[in-house]
């Protein structure tokens, strides 16, 4: 009789070294962007030490920021933060209070 392993990771989010969900895309995209920037600078004739400094500094900044965002907001935190910005802080009511308190019977309404 065959013995099959059961996949116990169904429905769980993707995780790599503690980074979850959208932070993986931010991490990979940031590092890819820094790599492309360094390659363009090097081909343009910039000093190799400048390219090395920008690459190391940019890469470490991306790693540090991504892990700090992951720790601060968690798995769904960036989506919650983006959704919170779309909600109004307060509701503006420009009608007079008397208009809300005025009673009109149902038969008079159009």
């Amino acid at each position: 009789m065959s013995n099959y392993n059961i996949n116990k990771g169904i429905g769980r989010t993707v995780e790599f070294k503690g980074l979850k969900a959208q932070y993986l895309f931010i991490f990979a995209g940031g590092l890819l962007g820094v790599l492309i920037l360094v390659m363009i600078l090097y081909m343009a004739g910039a000093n190799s030490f400048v390219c090395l400094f920008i690459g190391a500094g940019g890469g470490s900044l991306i790693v540090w920021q991504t892990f700090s965002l992951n720790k601060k907001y968690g798995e769904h935190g960036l989506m919650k933060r983006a959704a919170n910005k779309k909600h109004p802080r307060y509701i503006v009511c420009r009608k007079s209070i008397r208009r809300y308190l005025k009673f009109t019977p149902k038969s008079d309404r159009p």
Side-chain angles (χ1 to χ4, degrees):
M1 184 171 203
S2 298
N3 193 7
Y4 296 105
N5 292 331
I6 297 174
N7 185 359
K8 296 184 180 182
I10 296 174
R12 293 176 54 198
T13 60
V14 179
E15 183 177 349
F16 176 73
K17 302 278 186 185
L19 290 178
K20 294 181 181 180
Q22 71 268 19
Y23 301 106
L24 283 171
F25 296 112
I26 294 170
F27 182 72
L31 289 180
L32 185 65
V34 169
L35 176 69
I36 291 172
L37 176 69
V38 169
M39 288 170 51
I40 290 172
L41 286 174
Y42 187 74
M43 284 192 275
N47 190 355
S48 59
F49 288 115
V50 172
C51 294
L52 186 64
F53 179 73
I54 289 174
S60 61
L61 183 68
I62 293 291
V63 170
W64 174 67
Q65 275 294 333
T66 308
F67 276 96
S68 68
L69 284 173
N70 187 33
K71 185 178 179 183
K72 183 176 182 182
Y73 293 114
E75 185 176 346
H76 303 289
L78 287 180
M79 290 183 283
K80 289 179 186 178
R81 187 172 180 212
N84 195 19
K85 287 184 178 181
K86 294 186 180 202
H87 289 263
R89 289 186 179 198
Y90 50 87
I91 299 173
V92 177
C93 178
R94 300 193 193 284
K95 294 180 182 179
S96 66
I97 296 174
R98 193 177 76 190
R99 185 171 176 182
Y100 288 111
L101 298 176
K102 188 170 73 171
F103 176 73
T104 55
K106 289 186 177 183
S107 61
D108 292 346
R109 292 183 188 167

